Amino acid sequence: MQSHDKQMPIMEHLIELRNRLTWAVLALFITFGVCYYFVEDIYGFLVQPLAEIMGPDRRMIYTALTEVFFTYVKVSFFAACFVSAPVFLGQFWAFVAPGLYKNERSAFMPFIFATPILFLMGGALVYYLIMPLAWKFFLSFEQAGGASNLAIQLEAKVGEYLSLVMKLIFAFGLCFQLPVLLTLMARAGIVTADGLARRRKYAIVIAFGFAAVLTPPDLISQIGLGIPIIILYEISIIMARISERKRAKAAADDDADEDDETDSDDDGEAEVATGTAVATAQDGVDAQGEAAASYDDGQTSLTRSSDDEGDAPKLSGPSNNDDGEDDFNNAR
C-alpha cells in the first residue's frame, strides 16, 4: 500500500504530461496540414528577397524528382512549428505552473511570452535586412559571357535555398534568446551582472565565432549576426542587474518580516514575564497580609480573665514583667 501511494502521484504526473504532449502534437499536425495547403505561398514568401534581386526572368531548379516535394514538406513543417509554438508553450506552462510558487510563476511568466517574440524579431531581422544584403553579395560574382570566357550565372536549387534560409532564421532566432537565458541564470544565481561585464571581451570573440559557424562564409552574414549578439549580451547584463536588485529587495523584505516576527515574539515573552512578576509580587503581598492578620488575631486574643477566688483581673498572656519581644513571640 505504501509503494502504491508513492507511485500514484508519479503516474498522475506522467498522465498529465502525456495529455499535454498530445495536445501539442495535435496542434502541430493541424497547423502542418494548413501550412501544406498554402505551401506555395509560404515558399514564395521565403524566395521573395532573392527574386527581387534576380528579377522576374530568372528561375530556380531542382535536380532530383522528389526534391520539390520534400522541400514543400520541410517548408510546411517549418511554418507549422512556428505557428504552433504558442500552443506548445502554453501546454508546457500549464504542466509546470501548478508546481511553482506564486513568486516563481510571476518570475517565469514574462519569459514564456518573450521567447516567441524574440524569435520572431530574429527572423524578421534576417529576412528584411541580412538576406537582401547577403544575396546581393553572392550575386555579385556573376559574370557575363564573352569571346574568351563563359558566363557565370546562378541557378539556385530549391532544396539548397530552403536549407540556407532555415539555417539563417533558426540561427538568428536562437541567438535572440540570449537575454532570456542569461536573465534566468541570473535569477537562479548562476551568473552575475558584474561577472558578465568582466567577461565582455571573451563574449565578443565567442559571438563572432558562433556567427561564423552558423552563417554562410560571408562577412555580411557574420557581422549581421555578431553585432546583434553583442547588443543582446549588453541587454542581458542590464536585465541581470535589474534581476539582482529585485532579488536583493525581496531578500531585504523577507528579513524585515522575520525581524518583525521576532520582535513580536520577544514582546509576547516580555509580557508573559511581566505578568509572572506581577503575580509573584501579588502573592508576596497577600502572604504579608495574611501574616499581619494572624498577628492582629493574636493580639486580640489577649483577653482579660478573672480569678475564681479574687476580684483582681489577670492577663491570660505573659506577665507584665516580660519585655516586648516575649509579648510578640507569645502572640505568634
Side-chain angles (χ1 to χ4, degrees):
M1 290 297 294
Q2 293 178 356
S3 62
H4 180 69
D5 293 338
K6 292 180 180 179
Q7 291 177 0
M8 280 300 295
I10 298 177
M11 294 303 299
E12 291 177 0
H13 286 302
L14 292 177
I15 293 172
E16 178 72 13
L17 179 61
R18 182 196 63 186
N19 295 333
R20 299 298 178 187
L21 290 176
T22 300
W23 283 109
V25 173
L26 182 61
L28 178 62
F29 275 104
I30 292 174
T31 53
F32 174 79
V34 175
C35 292
Y36 189 81
Y37 181 78
F38 297 99
V39 65
E40 293 183 1
D41 297 330
I42 298 173
Y43 190 78
F45 175 76
L46 295 176
V47 175
Q48 185 176 359
L50 181 61
E52 291 178 354
I53 299 173
M54 293 178 63
D57 297 334
R58 304 292 292 272
R59 64 175 184 173
M60 298 186 71
I61 63 172
Y62 66 98
T63 57
L65 293 176
T66 59
E67 182 177 353
V68 176
F69 171 73
F70 283 112
T71 301
Y72 283 174
V73 171
K74 291 179 181 178
V75 170
S76 302
F77 183 76
F78 173 71
C81 290
F82 183 78
V83 174
S84 62
V87 179
F88 177 79
L89 292 175
Q91 294 298 321
F92 173 77
W93 179 251
F95 177 74
V96 174
L100 301 176
Y101 293 104
K102 184 177 180 180
N103 58 345
E104 293 175 343
R105 288 197 297 269
S106 61
F108 280 99
M109 180 64 75
F111 299 104
I112 297 295
F113 289 100
T115 299
I117 294 175
L118 290 174
F119 191 91
L120 180 61
M121 291 176 60
L125 176 65
V126 69
Y127 181 83
Y128 290 104
L129 181 62
I130 304 302
M131 286 172 56
L133 296 176
W135 298 168
K136 286 181 181 179
F137 174 77
F138 291 133
L139 287 173
S140 64
F141 292 97
E142 287 188 332
Q143 294 181 6
S148 60
N149 59 355
L150 298 175
I152 300 177
Q153 191 175 16
L154 174 66
E155 294 287 344
K157 292 182 61 177
V158 174
E160 291 180 354
Y161 178 79
L162 177 65
S163 299
L164 180 59
V165 170
M166 289 178 59
K167 184 178 180 181
L168 287 174
I169 293 177
F170 271 112
F172 278 77
L174 292 178
C175 290
F176 269 64
Q177 306 302 317
L178 185 63
V180 175
L181 178 62
L182 292 181
T183 305
L184 288 176
M185 293 175 67
R187 283 181 177 271
I190 300 175
V191 297
T192 60
D194 294 334
L196 294 175
R198 287 195 303 268
R199 294 173 177 83
R200 184 181 285 108
K201 55 184 178 180
Y202 303 107
I204 295 174
V205 176
I206 294 173
F208 281 100
F210 191 73
V213 173
L214 293 180
T215 58
D218 65 290
L219 293 177
I220 296 175
S221 300
Q222 294 177 7
I223 295 175
L225 182 57
I227 293 177
I229 291 177
I230 297 172
I231 296 174
L232 293 172
Y233 187 82
E234 297 296 332
I235 295 175
S236 302
I237 295 175
I238 297 174
M239 296 297 294
R241 292 188 187 278
I242 296 174
S243 178
E244 289 176 355
R245 291 174 183 173
K246 290 183 178 180
R247 187 173 58 184
K249 183 178 179 182
D253 294 338
D254 293 339
D255 293 339
D257 294 337
E258 291 178 358
D259 292 339
D260 293 339
E261 292 178 358
T262 304
D263 293 339
S264 62
D265 294 338
D266 293 340
D267 293 339
E269 292 176 359
E271 290 177 359
V272 172
T274 304
T276 305
V278 171
T280 304
Q282 186 66 33
D283 293 340
V285 172
D286 295 338
Q288 292 177 0
E290 291 177 358
S294 300
Y295 177 75
D296 292 338
D297 293 339
Q299 285 293 95
T300 55
S301 67
L302 297 177
T303 57
R304 292 182 179 274
S305 61
S306 301
D307 251 354
D308 293 337
E309 296 177 358
D311 294 330
K314 266 186 191 180
L315 290 174
S316 60
S319 62
N320 294 329
N321 296 327
D322 293 336
D323 57 4
E325 182 178 357
D326 294 335
D327 292 339
F328 180 74
N329 293 330
N330 290 330
R332 294 180 61 188

